[in-house]
Amino acid sequence: MSKKYDIAIIGAGVVGASIARRLSRYKLTVALLEKEVDVSFGTSKANSGIIHAGFHDTPGSLKAELCVRGNTEYDRLADELEFPFERRGELVVAFDEEQQQTLYKLYRNGQQNGVRYMELLGRERTLELEPNLNPDVLGSLYAPTAGIIGPYEYCFALVENAVKNGVELLLSFEVAGIHKTNNFFSVESSDGRSIESSFLVNAAGLCADRIAAMCGMNNFKITPRKGEEYLLDKRVGKLVRRVIFPAPKTNSKGILVIPTIDGPVMIGPTADDIDDKEDFSTTKEGLDRVFAFTSHTVPAIRVSDIITSFAGLRPVPSRNDFIIDKTEVSGFINAAGIQSPGLTASPAIAEKICGIILSCGLRMELNPDFNPKRKAKIRTRTLVENRDYDTLGKLIQSDKNYSKLVCRCENVSEAEIIDAIYRGHTTIDSIKYATRACSGRCQGGFCTSRILQLISEHAGIDILKITKKGPGSELILHRIDKGHQ
Amino acid sequence: MKSVDVLVIGAGAAGLAAAVSLKENSIEDVLVVDRQNFAGGILFQCIHSGFGLHRFGEELTGPEYAQRYIDMAECQNVEMLLSSSVVDIVSKDDIKEVIILSQDSGLVKVKVKAIILAMGCRERNRGNINIPGSRPAGIFTAGLAQKLVNIEGYMPGNEFVIVGSGDIGLIMARRLTLEGAKVKAVLEIQPYPGGLDRNIVQCLDDFDIPLYTSHIVTNICGSRRVESVDVSEITDGRLTPKMKISCDTLLLSVGLIPENELSITAGVSLNAATAGPIVSSDYMTNVPGIFACGNVLHVHDLVDYVSDEASACAKAVSMYLANKLPQDKCIPVHSGNMVRYVVPSTVKPQCDAILKLRPVAPMKNVKIKVVSDRGDVLKSKKLIRAIPSEMITVQLNDVPTGCKSITVYFEI
């Protein structure tokens, strides 16, 4: 007999996770279904980590409304959930007269969307804010309310807090079929599990069109739009403090220079519509394009400083806006086509979805035991960077594992890795997203074997079964025969 | 706060030899720190032979070579702090304060008079050489694979393609073959092999493993695990698609980078050509009292030379502590024709110096020349051949006073 829930959410990216956490405030039974082995493993993991101000989007669109509203939520969320977040600001730069005109248009957009504190800056003030920009810059649009964030920490924190407040997370639950009988959806996974729910929220990212089709709705398509990103060695330093945008062209916000919350500068993404929803490859051509643009904007950027690259796929809907609404199938609600500014908008999307469910007549009583707080593990890296050795000394006294550095590039201690394992992250990629081990300049060359041991020891998984990112991505293929005794 | 005369950071080949030599030079108050729970560093995963021919006159394995030095260090009562990482060095006048995170002792602050940087190097990886394609499991640096196979007893794959013909890649080609894996190809971007001749013969030729020079991987395919790689040939600077090789694992042996993040924290300036500290002929960096030797200074071809360099460095440290290091102005050493780099970056008048250098490309029947800015030939040496994979050593005796710089170059 499959378990019954009030609401099931398909997809544990930032959108699904935000909805789950929002719903966990109420006395409801909620299931969060994710096809991958960990949350944030789809589009969310390849996010640029920017909380946009909201001037890019067309006034009147859902994108514009939810982006601006979502933006204001982050101070409170970061405080409650302890994920890294800083309001650094965005700067759109112009190098010619036409681009200057675009800045003006964006400024007017922003005003209409309700973005506050924007300024159009001249050359001098622009270079004062960002001295490493190409001195040929003519001016910029400055939006100080924009921020940067650790996108997977955000998603991990949302899910952790949701689970703590009663949401059930079902991982490796790839939806294979949906049947509606009477007032219930019966949702089956490809491995034979099934659940039932009164409401079904479609936050399935790239697969949202397929999920909708399972309920008989073929009224939108999701096309993957690939974005390649390149990460530079943190030694290159803080080339920029704010997120730097070009004056935008049609299908994207352009190729950016992004100061990541963890220190290194990231450049990208490209924006190429492709057919294959599984194609996460980076290309020589993409690299060349990213560099051609960014090295013009910030001349100190050099190809030789790349430490790694990756690609993500944005779910681009056939309609030109977020698809957030109830549908002709009662109880089936879409949170689909959430491309940029989806991360920024995610808290507002969650709020909107809650409103829709309420309007459908579900009784939503506040849960008096709801605890909005989630504690993050203190990071050795932060203390070392701040030379706060008194605190670090005390921390080591309370937990000896803080003195064992596993990742030397990013100063990640064994305490942090063990903590991440107990929070449920048991693949190499999850540990990387949760702790930053393997994400520094040696890219796991030194620490991978220790992390394998720690996962095996603390999660009780045979080394041969430990994967990079789920079944099929095992790292070790077999043990070496030790011969006869 | 604990205080020592000399702190050696790293207990690998360089750190051990430095510590032993410090004791031999009557420096008693020495502490060696290493992040691993054993001394010997990377040598313990190098279970092949070929170590020690120069230093001990016999052919040892990596662990045997390390053990020789561990025994000497024990004999000399060298104090070791293992499972401990140095995270910070702050210089205040002549005293340096070092922050160590130690598994047994917690957070330790140590005051030191001199430091020997002996942290070794790390491997270049996929990101550094920008191989396009997907990001599946099954991509390892050769050194990580070596650790998994030789120390942990795990096989990371069955069918391998190895990128780069550096020595670790060659050694791993043989090692994996002996463990029953199939090494389908070794690819080298340069038109000549990157490793030592003896390794090309003993590790590839003897096992019929094909080496493709002037070839690179242009794409990695496979979503969960590596499935194949696309390979192109480089001719006259242009890429010609050549073949698709199916494999489940890609090993990268594409060079080593001296590990100097800590040195940077301590204010040490680096040489762009070596990625190691800029040192004088007495191995001292721009920060007085901080010295460097071994692979953290520049990547060596043989461990024997690492040990030699560490001994020389230790000797200089003992002179520094006795206030006997020559104070003369340093004379810069420039890399001339066909010279990729020279270590040290400066020499001192009326002193001896050992210059270590690498050529830009392979050459035959050349002369290596050291000349002063006034045109005096300080050294001239004939070489039957010079190749990038072999370090060349030139002994300079009694550097003349009055010259403003010296240049090392190949006369072809």
Side-chain angles (χ1 to χ4, degrees):
Chain A
M1 235 219 33
S2 53
K3 191 161 172 184
K4 278 187 181 167
Y5 299 87
D6 293 321
I7 303 162
I9 304 157
I10 302 174
V14 288
V15 174
S18 290
I19 296 168
R21 199 248 179 182
R22 180 95 198 175
L23 289 171
S24 73
R25 296 173 179 205
Y26 303 95
K27 283 186 181 171
L28 297 169
T29 53
V30 179
L32 179 59
L33 314 178
E34 170 55 51
K35 76 176 164 74
E36 299 293 333
V37 285
D38 206 339
V39 306
S40 189
F41 260 36
T43 297
S44 297
K45 75 156 185 275
N47 197 284
S48 298
I50 302 165
I51 300 306
H52 294 287
F55 51 77
H56 276 104
D57 306 298
T58 316
S61 65
L62 259 184
K63 279 185 186 179
E65 176 199 333
L66 300 179
C67 178
V68 174
R69 199 155 82 223
N71 177 297
T72 61
E73 292 282 314
Y74 277 87
D75 303 280
R76 185 178 52 77
L77 282 170
D79 179 55
E80 288 176 350
L81 300 173
E82 297 192 358
F83 56 83
F85 169 67
E86 283 178 44
R87 285 203 191 271
R88 293 279 190 90
E90 288 171 330
L91 217 53
V92 188
V93 292
F95 288 93
D96 61 36
E97 201 45 50
E98 197 189 330
Q99 294 179 352
Q100 289 267 54
Q101 290 301 318
T102 311
L103 296 194
Y104 183 68
K105 237 169 62 194
L106 287 177
Y107 181 81
R108 294 304 301 270
N109 258 5
Q111 279 187 320
Q112 281 176 274
N113 292 347
V115 180
R116 301 172 71 188
Y117 312 118
M118 287 180 303
E119 287 178 83
L120 284 163
L121 307 179
R123 177 174 180 275
E124 201 173 316
R125 179 93 174 98
T126 302
L127 287 170
E128 210 173 279
L129 288 182
E130 295 294 347
N132 290 315
L133 285 177
N134 185 334
D136 292 344
V137 68
L138 294 180
S140 64
L141 167 63
Y142 176 42
T145 55
I148 54 173
I149 187 178
Y152 9 89
E153 285 105 319
Y154 169 56
C155 190
F156 287 174
L158 284 168
V159 174
E160 249 178 60
N161 187 245
V163 168
K164 191 175 177 184
N165 286 302
V167 169
E168 284 183 42
L169 173 66
L170 282 79
L171 293 170
S172 305
F173 193 107
E174 184 176 14
V175 175
I178 300 169
H179 304 283
K180 187 151 194 220
T181 41
N182 303 323
N183 291 322
F184 279 102
F185 291 95
S186 170
V187 186
E188 283 158 24
S189 79
S190 50
D191 63 2
R193 285 177 285 170
S194 71
I195 58 123
E196 286 186 348
S197 70
S198 310
F199 286 86
L200 199 54
V201 179
N202 178 13
L206 288 167
C207 304
D209 52 352
R210 200 163 55 86
I211 296 293
M214 285 182 193
C215 288
M217 283 169 293
N218 292 299
N219 52 353
F220 68 91
K221 270 266 161 264
I222 300 287
T223 313
R225 181 172 293 161
K226 195 199 277 189
E228 298 182 26
E229 308 241 31
Y230 293 82
L231 206 65
L232 307 182
D233 193 306
K234 66 181 174 190
R235 185 170 41 207
V236 178
K238 300 177 170 50
L239 286 177
V240 292
R241 191 176 150 72
R242 296 158 192 83
V243 183
I244 310 297
F245 290 77
K249 300 232 168 66
T250 45
N251 78 340
S252 81
K253 297 185 171 76
I255 294 171
L256 326 180
V257 182
I258 306 160
T260 63
I261 197 89
D262 299 303
V265 168
M266 186 161 81
I267 54 176
T270 53
D272 299 302
D273 290 339
I274 58 169
D275 302 322
D276 184 357
K277 288 180 179 176
E278 300 281 319
D279 176 7
F280 294 95
S281 61
T282 50
T283 60
K284 173 81 173 65
E285 194 270 327
L287 168 79
D288 293 344
R289 228 177 331 139
V290 166
F291 268 85
F293 179 78
T294 50
S295 61
H296 173 256
T297 314
V298 180
I301 288 174
R302 289 197 317 258
V303 176
S304 58
D305 290 319
I306 298 176
I307 60 166
T308 189
S309 57
F310 61 90
L313 301 179
R314 312 169 181 85
V316 180
S318 44
R319 307 179 210 160
N320 191 28
D321 203 353
F322 292 160
I323 303 170
I324 302 174
D325 215 342
K326 54 189 168 192
T327 61
E328 66 209 42
V329 178
S330 98
F332 187 88
I333 298 159
N334 277 319
I338 314 291
Q339 52 167 329
S340 181
L343 173 70
T344 312
S346 59
I349 294 172
E351 193 188 344
K352 194 170 173 70
I353 294 285
C354 275
I356 293 169
I357 294 175
L358 192 64
S359 75
C360 291
L362 185 71
R363 189 180 144 82
M364 292 171 76
E365 195 182 330
L366 280 172
N367 172 9
D369 297 329
F370 174 72
N371 178 0
K373 291 277 185 187
R374 171 258 184 192
K375 282 226 84 63
K377 190 83 176 163
I378 299 174
R379 294 183 157 188
T380 314
R381 179 167 58 99
T382 317
L383 298 175
V384 170
E385 271 168 15
N386 298 332
R387 294 192 155 146
D388 184 359
Y389 299 121
D390 290 340
T391 309
L392 184 53
K394 282 182 200 139
L395 206 56
I396 290 172
Q397 278 172 5
S398 70
D399 183 353
K400 217 173 151 181
N401 290 330
Y402 266 112
S403 69
K404 304 176 194 167
L405 285 189
V406 176
C407 165
R408 61 175 74 173
C409 304
E410 296 293 309
N411 283 330
V412 182
S413 69
E414 212 162 289
E416 294 150 78
I417 291 171
I418 292 170
D419 173 72
I421 295 168
Y422 284 104
R423 286 178 199 246
H425 306 300
T426 55
T427 67
I428 293 288
D429 275 0
S430 324
I431 293 290
K432 170 167 145 182
Y433 301 147
T435 68
R436 279 192 71 67
C438 297
S439 55
R441 56 174 68 89
C442 92
Q443 288 287 298
F446 285 115
C447 60
T448 301
S449 71
R450 182 66 188 142
I451 294 171
L452 286 171
Q453 285 169 358
L454 287 170
I455 294 175
S456 176
E457 197 179 311
H458 291 275
I461 303 173
D462 186 323
I463 292 260
L464 300 189
K465 298 244 163 69
I466 299 173
T467 64
K468 182 175 188 289
K469 51 184 176 183
S473 67
E474 289 76 11
L475 277 89
I476 307 295
L477 297 192
H478 57 88
R479 285 192 170 79
I480 291 174
D481 186 5
K482 294 212 174 74
H484 300 289
Q485 293 286 319
Chain B
M1 193 187 301
K2 189 179 168 67
S3 72
V4 292
D5 285 348
V6 187
L7 182 80
V8 180
I9 305 174
L16 284 172
V20 167
S21 297
L22 283 168
K23 292 278 187 173
E24 286 168 359
N25 284 286
S26 306
I27 305 296
E28 286 305 322
D29 195 11
V30 178
L31 176 66
V32 183
V33 184
D34 197 280
R35 61 175 92 238
Q36 300 287 346
N37 59 2
F38 57 89
I42 219 75
L43 281 166
F44 272 99
Q45 68 186 55
C46 305
I47 62 170
H48 52 283
S49 63
F51 301 91
L53 280 167
H54 298 265
R55 186 67 190 71
F56 298 108
E58 54 184 307
E59 202 173 5
L60 304 172
T61 64
E64 285 170 334
Y65 188 93
Q67 197 58 47
R68 296 261 171 132
Y69 272 97
I70 292 168
D71 292 346
M72 283 187 253
E74 258 172 35
C75 236
Q76 299 271 13
N77 288 317
V78 171
E79 190 189 347
M80 300 248 188
L81 191 61
L82 298 174
S83 302
S84 302
S85 307
V86 175
V87 294
D88 204 354
I89 299 171
V90 184
S91 295
K92 285 175 195 151
D93 303 323
D94 280 352
I95 296 294
K96 283 142 203 55
E97 196 178 299
V98 179
I99 311 289
I100 304 169
L101 298 190
S102 167
Q103 200 168 314
D104 295 324
S105 317
L107 189 136
V108 185
K109 291 184 183 178
V110 189
K111 274 193 170 150
V112 299
K113 291 181 190 158
I115 292 173
I116 297 181
L117 304 171
M119 293 92 74
C121 51
R122 69 166 187 274
E123 298 178 277
R124 294 176 79 212
N125 55 47
R126 177 187 181 178
N128 300 131
I129 56 169
N130 291 310
I131 306 178
S134 57
R135 321 201 68 73
I139 304 166
F140 298 87
T141 55
L144 173 57
Q146 188 179 45
K147 185 175 182 186
L148 291 171
V149 172
N150 292 350
I151 306 276
E152 319 273 351
Y154 299 125
M155 277 297 272
N158 295 320
E159 294 193 318
F160 289 79
V161 168
I162 299 179
V163 178
S165 59
D167 289 309
I168 314 169
L170 301 177
I171 300 278
M172 282 312 289
R174 174 177 64 187
R175 183 77 188 98
L176 292 163
T177 307
L178 291 173
E179 285 301 340
K182 175 82 187 157
V183 178
K184 293 191 154 179
V186 175
L187 311 170
E188 170 59 54
I189 186 170
Q190 299 293 343
Y192 50 86
L196 299 171
D197 281 355
R198 71 173 194 215
N199 284 332
I200 299 290
V201 175
Q202 294 169 10
C203 300
L204 300 188
D205 298 353
D206 289 358
F207 294 90
D208 293 327
I209 297 168
L211 168 66
Y212 298 91
T213 52
S214 301
H215 280 70
I216 63 166
V217 169
T218 51
N219 193 30
I220 299 172
C221 313
S223 67
R224 296 265 153 176
R225 180 85 197 186
V226 175
E227 286 163 15
S228 64
V229 293
D230 296 333
V231 175
S232 285
E233 184 171 11
I234 309 171
T235 33
D236 306 324
R238 260 200 297 269
L239 288 178
T240 318
K242 192 75 178 293
M243 56 190 155
K244 187 186 248 326
I245 309 179
S246 70
C247 57
D248 55 35
T249 312
L250 187 66
L251 278 204
L252 304 176
S253 175
V254 290
L256 301 168
I257 310 172
E259 178 113 299
N260 277 294
E261 324 322 321
L262 187 62
S263 321
I264 295 169
T265 309
V268 169
S269 305
L270 302 186
N271 176 328
T274 58
I278 294 172
V279 294
S280 59
S281 48
D282 38 33
Y283 300 97
M284 192 155 88
T285 66
N286 61 305
V287 182
I290 300 186
F291 295 76
C293 60
N295 282 348
V296 81
L297 179 58
H298 61 120
V299 176
H300 290 62
D301 50 354
L302 298 178
V303 71
D304 305 61
Y305 300 147
V306 168
S307 304
D308 289 347
E309 187 174 277
S311 295
C313 175
K315 190 158 185 225
V317 171
S318 70
M319 287 169 71
Y320 169 79
L321 291 176
N323 250 329
K324 284 186 188 158
L325 269 192
Q327 297 291 319
D328 302 83
K329 225 176 141 223
C330 293
I331 302 164
V333 181
H334 298 304
S335 302
N337 188 40
M338 291 303 277
V339 175
R340 189 154 72 84
Y341 73 74
V342 186
V343 171
S345 303
T346 61
V347 293
K348 287 178 175 173
Q350 291 178 297
C351 295
D352 297 347
I354 301 166
L355 305 181
K356 289 156 191 164
L357 57 123
R358 299 229 188 203
V360 171
M363 289 170 288
K364 278 182 179 164
N365 298 315
V366 287
K367 238 186 217 171
I368 181 86
K369 280 194 150 178
V370 185
V371 296
S372 76
D373 58 307
R374 298 181 299 193
D376 306 329
V377 178
L378 308 182
K379 191 93 180 186
S380 176
K381 191 168 150 185
K382 267 191 186 164
L383 298 170
I384 296 166
R385 63 167 207 166
I387 55 174
S389 59
E390 284 179 19
M391 197 171 85
I392 296 165
T393 302
V394 179
Q395 171 82 37
L396 270 193
N397 296 324
D398 202 11
V399 175
T401 45
C403 67
K404 292 195 180 67
S405 71
I406 61 174
T407 302
V408 185
Y409 67 96
F410 286 97
E411 195 177 85
I412 309 170

